[in-house]
Amino acid sequence: MPSLAPDSRRWIVLAILSGSLLLISMDTTILNVAFPSLVGDLQPSAVQQLWIIDVYALALSGLLVTAGALGDRWGRKRLLMAGFCIFSLASLIAVFSTEAWHVIAARALLGVGGAAIMPSTLSILRSVFTDARERAFALAVWAAVFGGGMAFGPVVGGLLVQDYGWHSAFLLNLPVAALIIVAGLRYLPESRAPRSTGTWDWWGVGQSVVGMLALAGGIKQLGKSGVGDPLPWVLLLLAAVALTVFVRRQLRVDNPLLQVRLFAKPAFSVAATAIFLPMVGMGAILFLVTQWFQYGQGYTPLEAGLRLLPAPLALICASMVAPVLMQRFAIRHVLGTGLVVLAAGMAMPWTLQQFTELGYPAFAAALTVMGLGAGTATTVASVTLISAAAADEVSSAAAIEETCYELGSAMGVATLGSTAAALYRGNLPVLDLDGPSAAAVRDSVGEAAHTAERLGGALGQALIDTASQAYTLAITPAFLMAGGLAVAAAATTWALIPRDLQPTENH
């Protein structure tokens, strides 16, 4: 298949796509440091707080399959531009929000725009970079930008929020989106899938959206309310039924929305697993550490964001080295080793806690090791996954990959974040406070910080010290659980990826 862009333009295309991805990935985490300011301003309930954080990734992951198929049919460039228009509109709504539900609606619409953008970036990249080695490098840049954007989000958010308030976290999207639209209209090539003909599968769209949203909602609710609540089990059952029907339909129709037969390839399935399981851990850890920095240690949003820098810096370095390692060593060993390094970084805070009191140096070291492991593992997994798909299957592969990233991160916040919250409540001693104040402190470490600020004086300081200690003891077991997921992904890699796999082969 000939390149859709002249040689002199393909690197410009990569820069535009990287800018697109950077904006989307930063929006996944940029609100973490803006969140305390937003809570103080809008006073959302505990349920509304969870939705503000989670709805972006849930909406995005629920629509990725449909968006990938729509790009194949309608045009990937056209869908990318439409996505940025939606993204810009949603950002404007968020900037002028005065109620919590306004922010929830804006975040949901941002997810819709992101779903239109993300599959298009990988699909266009795959069609432009036809040389195998160049494609591996371009995918390494893609992985570095995505992971770096998620980790840089709190840094940029902290810088903006400290001087301009939480609205600025959304205002940033507008000039960046405008620049990408102008450059994209000029330089991006249009492409479609050769098999994107026939009747549009509306039944498949409904089944995929219902199934993905029910799956994410069920896990979120399970983490929040526990196994005794019937609602999450109802949602998970609905997800199982809808997704089973969806898969069976996709295997039967002539023009499926999603090429589910890709999962029959061991390299593809393992690569997807090697993205999803670590992202469950990374999504939770970035959220929990950011809250620990601000509520537990009293850092400003900017100070909290800056203290996360070891992770993205290490991730970017590792992502750039990963293609060289893939040429020199077996894919299974590079991917498996990266996952083990990631697991070691995740387990480090819990391990150190057994011997000493945790401070920032311990978390900085852990974030550095996690960045090195995540950069290596996600880059190799992305190259392997995309290379396992034929050219006319790349949109399906892109949708699956990005679903793994987004749904994994959202589920990490929901499950491991809820686990940490339960442990936090269990670690709190009996509080000598009135009923409403004690209930607020037990609700979350954020509420404890607000209550301590309201009380002030020695009582307020004692309260935040107690809550900080309880939260520190709560998050490290969640980190250890995240490390266990990375180890499971590493074991799967070594067990199932062929020894002679070369994922940079052309298709």
Side-chain angles (χ1 to χ4, degrees), residues 46 295 420-455 459-471:
Y295 292 132
L423 293 172
Y424 161 76
R425 289 189 288 271
N427 288 324
L428 277 175
V430 176
L431 300 170
D432 186 18
L433 298 170
D434 61 77
S437 295
V441 171
R442 290 191 173 278
D443 184 60
S444 69
V445 67
E447 291 296 327
H450 291 308
T451 302
E453 183 179 1
R454 177 173 56 81
L455 294 174
L459 179 59
Q461 186 60 50
L463 174 59
I464 194 59
D465 289 343
T466 300
S468 175
Q469 177 65 17
Y471 193 64

Side-chain angles (χ1 to χ4, degrees), residues 19-20 67 118 182 267 320 337 340 342 347 395 409 463 493 496:
S20 304
M118 288 188 67
V182 171
M320 293 297 95
T337 301
V340 169
L342 175 61
S395 291
S409 179
L463 174 59
T493 295
L496 297 180

